[in-house]
Amino acid sequence: MSPDKKINILSLPGSETQPLSIRAKAMVFCDHSSQELLSYLEQIAPSDAPVLITGETGTGKELVARHVHHLSGRKGPFIAVNCGAINEQLAESELFGHESGAFTGAIRRQEGWFEAAKDGTLFLDEIGDLSLSLQVKLLRVLQEKEVVRVGSRKATPVNIRLVAATNIDLEQSVVAGHFRLDLFYRLNIAQVSLPPLRERTGDILPLADYFLGLYGKRLNLQTLPALSEPVKQALIRYSWPGNIRELENVIHFALMVSSGKAIQLEHLKFTGGLHPLSQQSTSNTSEPPLDVITRQLDKIFSQPTDEALFDTLEHLIIERAYQHARYNQVRTAELLGISRNVLRTLLKRHGLLEESFAFNPDKLTGQQWNAVGQ
């Protein structure tokens, strides 16, 4: 890459001093898919329509939300709220505010996040973690454009742009009964699908250079070591299950342990302590199971397309979970994080209800007979 080529970099305010987190602190738009994303953001930003950002953890969802706010021209603040970190007992008060005396400890009137974001943008991260009761109240706020503080009967108008984000499939969450369909429709007007870092390889090295500069400054390095060519290739080939956040960690560690003018392969430490040269090995028992699955999926996807691949993978997951739970539907549903009704639909779709006990009733174990009664 030419050193004088201008690169669009988004970074979190104060990222130089922020503690470690799973959030991506920087994002670039060098890869072709990232450039298309940037163009799309420029199209939807001027609107007041809600935006739903989907993507894996660490891909830069908050950075995208901030950029939408910046491009929108709204004069108010950008307020970011992590729905997964909201105290369930105080969630309504935090979002919509409360009046003095509304509950124990409410010693004075307090505006909520919606009012705090007046004329600006309210970013609700991990919106899939909101309880169903709060989802109902959120839907009403979006429809009526007003909030009612806890302990009050008076509605307060709010003028905000709502941007929501999630790392889960909300459509599947709707099917499972964990997310309201009407709220999903209200949020999903302008959807932004943020690709994982492994699908925008053109961004990897520019991001690595950015983090080299960031942490080189923190470590007071007089001269920044360069990335050797094998290191560059290793960074591009790696699947980055932790996305941008993991790349930041890798570069930070490499700077701390490297010496000389170049960062070498031995200075890289990937997820689970994997060395880049041993990524293809399946004998490393310290490798996280999801990383193994990710790597094997990459192999599958590199082969000729199987039209029934999704059904095959879904069947495998349901079948193995059902066996692991010893054919108990309640425990299987809990294991997969879905409702029992959704599980029964999947079991029927893949012929596993009959396969479990209908064809060989005389061979059922006591545990399997108990599962029938579940």
Side-chain angles (χ1 to χ4, degrees):
M1 177 178 300
S2 173
D4 57 357
K5 180 179 179 181
K6 182 175 176 58
I7 299 175
N8 290 317
I9 299 178
L10 301 183
S11 60
L12 287 179
S15 60
E16 295 82 0
T17 58
Q18 285 185 350
L20 295 178
S21 73
I22 61 173
R23 296 189 301 172
K25 293 182 183 176
M27 187 175 179
V28 299
F29 297 94
C30 295
D31 191 87
H32 178 69
S33 62
S34 296
Q35 293 174 359
E36 289 184 340
L37 172 64
L38 180 60
S39 176
Y40 177 66
L41 295 178
E42 292 170 347
Q43 289 179 312
I44 66 173
S47 166
D48 286 333
V51 178
L52 178 61
I53 306 172
T54 60
E56 297 177 6
T57 299
T59 50
K61 295 188 289 294
E62 181 175 338
L63 289 167
V64 168
R66 288 179 179 274
H67 197 52
V68 168
H69 171 70
H70 173 73
L71 295 174
S72 71
R74 298 185 69 86
K75 303 302 182 182
F78 176 91
I79 303 291
V81 180
N82 186 338
C83 296
I86 295 179
N87 184 303
E88 183 63 30
Q89 285 69 39
L90 300 176
E92 185 175 354
S93 169
E94 289 191 37
L95 287 173
F96 311 125
H98 65 259
E99 296 292 332
S100 175
F103 51 85
T104 303
I107 58 177
R108 61 178 180 273
R109 173 185 292 179
Q110 179 68 50
E111 68 178 14
W113 293 120
F114 273 86
E115 291 183 76
K118 178 183 178 182
D119 298 327
T121 300
L122 179 62
F123 174 56
L124 296 182
D125 196 9
E126 304 307 341
I127 194 168
D129 290 341
L130 279 183
S131 66
L132 287 171
S133 61
L134 273 178
Q135 291 176 33
V136 174
K137 294 180 173 65
L138 175 59
L139 179 64
R140 183 185 180 280
V141 170
L142 294 178
Q143 290 174 335
E144 306 297 331
K145 300 185 185 303
E146 60 185 23
V147 297
V148 178
R149 293 175 179 168
V150 177
S152 174
R153 295 182 180 180
K154 179 182 177 181
T156 302
V158 289
N159 174 23
I160 59 107
R161 169 79 172 280
L162 184 69
V163 179
T166 179
N167 63 0
I168 65 174
D169 188 331
L170 283 187
E171 292 186 68
Q172 287 294 324
S173 190
V174 168
V175 173
H178 300 150
F179 202 83
R180 292 182 61 91
L181 179 61
D182 45 8
L183 179 57
F184 174 71
Y185 284 146
R186 173 67 65 170
L187 295 173
N188 198 35
I189 296 176
Q191 187 181 67
V192 177
S193 181
L194 193 51
L197 186 57
R198 60 184 170 274
E199 293 181 9
R200 38 189 169 118
T201 54
D203 293 344
I204 293 175
L205 295 183
L207 278 169
D209 288 338
Y210 172 80
F211 290 127
L212 276 173
L214 177 66
Y215 285 101
K217 183 178 180 180
R218 282 198 195 180
L219 296 171
N220 296 317
L221 299 180
Q222 298 299 318
T223 303
L224 284 180
L227 300 175
S228 67
E229 193 58 33
V231 164
K232 291 180 180 180
Q233 294 304 313
L235 294 178
I236 292 174
R237 289 197 306 267
Y238 184 56
S239 61
W240 298 110
N243 292 293
I244 298 173
R245 178 64 231 188
E246 185 180 4
L247 174 60
E248 178 183 349
N249 291 342
V250 168
I251 297 300
H252 186 188
F253 178 81
L255 276 174
M256 289 191 297
V257 300
S258 64
S259 59
K261 296 183 178 179
I263 292 178
Q264 306 294 344
L265 285 174
E266 59 265 26
H267 302 139
L268 301 184
K269 183 180 178 182
F270 292 142
T271 298
L274 279 180
H275 187 279
L277 297 181
S278 64
Q279 287 183 62
Q280 301 305 315
S281 171
T282 59
S283 61
N284 191 326
T285 56
S286 67
E287 185 176 7
L290 286 178
D291 291 357
V292 176
I293 294 173
T294 298
R295 186 156 40 75
Q296 297 303 321
L297 283 174
D298 287 341
K299 290 182 180 180
I300 293 173
F301 295 150
S302 66
Q303 298 172 359
T305 304
D306 177 4
E307 293 182 355
L309 178 59
F310 182 86
D311 286 339
T312 300
L313 293 175
E314 186 180 71
H315 180 97
L316 178 62
I317 292 172
I318 299 300
E319 180 183 48
R320 296 302 297 173
Y322 202 30
Q323 291 176 359
H324 182 82
R326 299 183 180 181
Y327 304 99
N328 183 297
Q329 293 181 26
V330 172
R331 286 198 292 270
T332 304
E334 292 175 349
L335 187 66
L336 295 173
I338 60 179
S339 70
R340 186 183 171 194
N341 287 338
V342 172
L343 174 67
R344 286 184 62 85
T345 299
L346 293 170
L347 290 172
K348 290 178 181 178
R349 180 188 304 168
H350 294 285
L352 295 175
L353 280 179
E354 294 79 8
E355 184 176 311
S356 300
F357 47 79
F359 292 129
N360 297 292
D362 294 333
K363 296 183 179 180
L364 286 177
T365 65
Q367 290 172 326
Q368 289 171 325
W369 274 114
N370 290 337
V372 177
Q374 296 287 335

